[in-house]
Amino acid sequence: MAKNEFKKEDQNLENVQESLSTAGMWIEKNQNAIEWTILGVVLLVFAWVLLNSYVIKPKHIEASNENAKAVVYFSQGEFEKALHGDEEAEFLGFEEIAAKYGYFQEGKLAALYAGICYYQLGDYEQAAANLKKFKAKDVNISPAAHQLLGDAYVQLEEYNKAVSAFEAAAKSGNEIIAPMSLKKAGIVYLELGKKASAKKAFESIKNNYPASAEAQDIDKFIALSE
């Protein structure tokens, strides 16, 4: 029995050797193609390193610097100047930063700031247009952006879009923003005559965020939705 097993192993070894020989012949036959493929991969990696070092990273730095300049005016409540920039102060402003660096996260952040500026200035259509450009997984900023987008839609009386934005903000589970957004959604649902949806939003506050400020008088809103 042992001899038979060794014979099987010898046969397997022969098969392996035959496969290696075949592979060796294939490599020898296609050596030029293999070398060119390897060279192509090396060139692609090298090109990516150059692109990242001399194009992408500098663009990130440029966009960050421009945002920092605009944020100074934003923090002072000078929303017009923060939005459109100032040639004398030599900075672009959030609107142009968002357009110029839209592919980078800094450009998306500029779009968020632009949306807030437009909201503060009463231009709710432009506020919504810019807020929609902001994409991030941050558990605080992203839901806050969705909530403000909902507020802009309310001002535009686009109530269905508003509740969608509020629901998106509520899904974050953020302990502060989620109950606020649920209450806003519930109120808009009442405006739309969708009492069942309103009640669901209000009850979600009562059940999931009982310690929130919104939960303190939520029974009154639940009664309105019945």
Side-chain angles (χ1 to χ4, degrees), residues 100-112:
K100 187 174 180 179
Y101 302 98
Y103 289 105
F104 303 99
Q105 192 59 34
E106 291 84 359
K108 293 178 175 60
L109 184 61
L112 172 61

Side-chain angles (χ1 to χ4, degrees), residues 1-11:
M1 181 176 177
K3 289 181 180 180
N4 290 335
E5 290 299 321
F6 277 113
K7 285 182 180 179
K8 287 180 183 178
E9 288 184 7
D10 290 342
Q11 187 176 358

Side-chain angles (χ1 to χ4, degrees), residues 44-62 104:
L44 282 173
V45 171
F46 184 64
W48 167 249
V49 170
L50 289 176
L51 181 67
N52 189 54
S53 299
Y54 294 100
V55 178
I56 295 175
K57 282 185 177 180
K59 289 292 182 184
H60 278 297
I61 294 169
E62 285 176 20
F104 303 99

Side-chain angles (χ1 to χ4, degrees), residues 119 124-133 145-166 188:
Y119 190 92
Y124 303 114
E125 191 169 340
Q126 281 299 318
N130 279 276
L131 289 166
K132 285 191 296 184
K133 295 176 185 177
H146 275 110
Q147 186 181 93
L148 187 60
L149 177 60
D151 290 337
Y153 281 134
V154 168
Q155 295 297 328
L156 294 168
E157 297 185 0
E158 296 185 41
Y159 297 126
N160 286 313
K161 289 182 178 180
V163 290
S164 294
F166 290 140
V188 176

